[in-house]
Amino acid sequence: MENAMETVGRKCVAEMAAFERCIVANKGDGRACAEPQVALAQCAARAVPLLQTVKEQCGPAIRAYDECMQKNAQKKDDELTQECTPALRTLWACTERVKAEAQPSS
């Protein structure tokens, strides 16, 4: 996935910058930045088709992790880690499975 993030970083510079500016302007409130977030997601999907596949196949795991992070956002880092690490592990396992399935067999 690191290569995917590098590709998104290279190919979606304007979208990433607009989203970051919005987050900073809204003091970290991502809810106020839906439009630039969607534009970034669309650019990322075009730049790295595997990301779209991950979103489709790992949607429940992504939502569970996001919900955990939002629910526990006010907790200290160690508490947040304790609460959300299981959801992150589930998401990681799903992304690794999707990535392995996308790899052509040798």
Side-chain angles (χ1 to χ4, degrees), residues 73-100:
Q74 302 304 319
K75 294 186 177 180
K76 293 180 182 176
D77 286 348
D78 58 336
E79 294 172 312
L80 181 65
T81 299
Q82 183 176 354
E83 291 293 326
C84 296
T85 294
L88 180 58
R89 283 190 181 125
T90 300
L91 175 55
W92 178 83
C94 184
T95 61
E96 289 297 304
R97 177 185 50 78
V98 170
K99 190 168 83 171

Side-chain angles (χ1 to χ4, degrees), residues 7 17 22 26 30-31 36 38 50 57 61 68 74 80 83-84 95:
T7 301
C22 182
N26 289 285
R31 295 173 299 203
V38 168
L50 180 60
Q57 294 188 19
C68 185
Q74 302 304 319
L80 181 65
E83 291 293 326
C84 296
T95 61

